[in-house]
Amino acid sequence: KISMASTLTPTTFKVKIKEEHVVRNISTLYENIVEIKNVTNVDRRIVTIPHTSSVDLININGVVPGAGTFPSSSIQYARITNLDNSSSLAVTFSSSRDEYWSQKLNPTTSLVWSGAEVSGSSFNGTLSSDLTSIKVYPMSSSIDVEYVIVNA
């Protein structure tokens, strides 16, 4: 009899964001460290997005984790980075209420967020829906994109 049981102990995921701003030879340094406890899943992937194609990069509509699918209820950190040094990327978010919005991601920049709760209208005290999917579109040529998703 072969036993394949394993127990993965939740761990702490640490993110360090460091910015240095230099304007007119005046330097300002900002550093923030975020620790996310009880992390159960981390997914990091680099994908080449072909020119003139849209790609479903992340599906957040699942109840349980799967191939490219992450439960919206447990997302604690997410980052998308445009790894290209000259071409921009459009990132389109969709929500559980069929709301859509897109954002341009310039070369070598990142977009970071800390949960899946959103509102597709003016904020009125509550976030009324969840992200369900994230698509990416190269704006002028094929682009390498990296994403990191952390669930706890």
Side-chain angles (χ1 to χ4, degrees), residues 51-52 84 86-89 137-143:
H51 180 51
T52 68
D84 197 272
S86 62
S87 297
S88 295
L89 179 73
Y137 306 83
M139 295 180 76
S140 62
S141 65
S142 296
I143 293 180

Side-chain angles (χ1 to χ4, degrees), residues 2-35:
I2 298 174
S3 176
M4 298 296 286
S6 68
T7 302
L8 299 176
T9 304
T11 188
T12 299
F13 183 86
K14 187 176 182 179
V15 177
K16 181 179 184 179
I17 298 173
K18 185 176 181 179
E19 294 181 6
E20 181 178 8
H21 312 150
V22 180
V23 178
R24 297 187 181 134
N25 294 323
I26 299 172
S27 179
T28 304
L29 185 63
Y30 169 79
E31 185 174 291
N32 187 41
I33 297 172
V34 176
E35 290 188 4

